[in-house]
Amino acid sequence: ELQGHGLTVSTGKYKAGGKDWECDIVIETAKRVIFLEIKKKSLTRAARAGMESALLIDIAASLVSSTLQAMRHEEQLRQGPLVLTLKDGTLHTINLDGREVERFAVTLHDYGGFQDRLLLQAILGVQMRLQFSTDDSGVKKKIEQINNAMMELRQVNKNLWMAAGSPSAWSPFKSSWFLSVPQILILLDGVTCAE
C-alpha cells in the first residue's frame, strides 16, 4: 500500500549489541527517518470491557513494545549508520544526516481513543515512572514482562536524551505516534511520494 503511493520503504534486519533486530518499515525523506513498527495485537474482549490488567497487557503488547523497538532503532541510528540486511540479502545503509526521527507504533486493528497522540504521550509518560504489581498469579508473569520493558524503555530514553545533549525541555515521546492500519490508509489519501 505504501509503495503504491510512491513511497520507497525499507525493511530488514541488523545486528547491535550482540543481538539481532528487525525494522518493520523505514521511510526516508529529506528531513526525516520514519520507523513504523507493526503489531497484530488487538484489544481483547476483557480489555474492551474495562479489566485493568487485560488493558495494561494489551497496551504493553502493542504500544509499549512497538515504541521500544522504534526507539532502539533510533538509538542505533544516532550512534552511526544503521545497516539493514534486506530480504533479498542486499544491504541498505541509513544515515541520520541531521534528520529528525519519527516513530510510529502501528496496530492492525483500531484501539479507539487510545490512539490519540496526547493520550499516547500521557500513557507512556506515566508508565515511565511506575512499576506495576499484581496479586493475580494468572497475569503476574506478564506484569513482570511489562515492568522489564518499561525499565528498558527508560534506559533507551536516557541514552537518547544524553545523545541529544541532555536538553532541559526533553520530551521522550514528542516524535511518537500510535495509529492503526485503517488510520494509516486514511492518511495516505492524496499521498504520491514520501515527502
Side-chain angles (χ1 to χ4, degrees), residues 42-81:
S42 61
L43 283 175
T44 59
R45 181 174 292 163
R48 289 192 311 264
M51 183 181 280
E52 291 93 352
S53 60
L55 183 57
L56 176 63
I57 290 166
D58 288 353
I59 291 289
S62 56
L63 170 60
V64 174
S65 176
S66 298
T67 301
L68 177 56
Q69 284 179 279
M71 288 178 82
R72 280 190 202 120
H73 304 329
E74 179 180 355
E75 179 183 27
Q76 184 63 32
L77 182 60
R78 291 194 182 279
Q79 294 173 8

Side-chain angles (χ1 to χ4, degrees), residues 46 51-54 57 132-144:
M51 183 181 280
E52 291 93 352
S53 60
I57 290 166
F132 300 99
S133 64
T134 182
D135 293 330
D136 184 347
S137 60
V139 296
K140 195 167 236 164
K141 186 173 181 177
K142 289 184 179 185
I143 297 296
E144 287 173 15

Side-chain angles (χ1 to χ4, degrees), residues 18-36:
K19 294 182 180 179
D20 292 328
W21 303 102
E22 182 174 11
C23 293
D24 288 345
I25 297 174
V26 184
I27 301 170
E28 295 181 72
T29 72
K31 295 181 180 179
R32 288 181 174 74
V33 177
I34 303 165
F35 293 108
L36 285 85

Side-chain angles (χ1 to χ4, degrees), residues 2 11 22-27 35-41 61-63 65-67 69-70 73 104-109 178-181 184:
L2 294 170
T11 181
E22 182 174 11
C23 293
D24 288 345
I25 297 174
V26 184
I27 301 170
F35 293 108
L36 285 85
E37 288 299 319
I38 318 296
K39 296 293 178 203
K40 292 187 281 185
K41 179 80 178 106
S62 56
L63 170 60
S65 176
S66 298
T67 301
Q69 284 179 279
H73 304 329
F104 283 74
V106 181
T107 57
L108 184 59
H109 302 286
F178 185 35
L179 299 172
S180 65
V181 170
I184 295 280

Side-chain angles (χ1 to χ4, degrees), residues 89-190:
T90 61
L91 299 180
H92 176 69
T93 302
I94 302 170
N95 291 295
L96 190 56
D97 293 332
R99 296 181 287 182
E100 296 293 321
V101 175
E102 296 278 337
R103 306 176 219 114
F104 283 74
V106 181
T107 57
L108 184 59
H109 302 286
D110 191 52
Y111 271 47
F114 288 105
Q115 290 178 308
D116 175 81
R117 193 154 186 230
L118 293 176
L119 188 56
L120 154 88
Q121 292 178 9
I123 289 170
L124 289 175
V126 166
Q127 288 187 3
M128 291 279 282
R129 298 185 301 268
L130 298 177
Q131 182 160 349
F132 300 99
S133 64
T134 182
D135 293 330
D136 184 347
S137 60
V139 296
K140 195 167 236 164
K141 186 173 181 177
K142 289 184 179 185
I143 297 296
E144 287 173 15
Q145 290 170 342
I146 292 169
N147 285 329
N148 291 337
M150 293 310 301
M151 193 173 356
E152 190 173 351
L153 191 65
R154 285 189 285 273
Q155 184 59 52
V156 171
N157 175 60
K158 181 180 177 185
N159 296 344
L160 289 172
W161 173 72
M162 289 171 44
S166 308
S168 59
W170 178 253
S171 178
F173 306 111
K174 73 175 179 136
S175 299
S176 296
W177 301 81
F178 185 35
L179 299 172
S180 65
V181 170
Q183 289 171 312
I184 295 280
L185 294 175
I186 289 170
L187 289 174
L188 286 173
D189 283 350

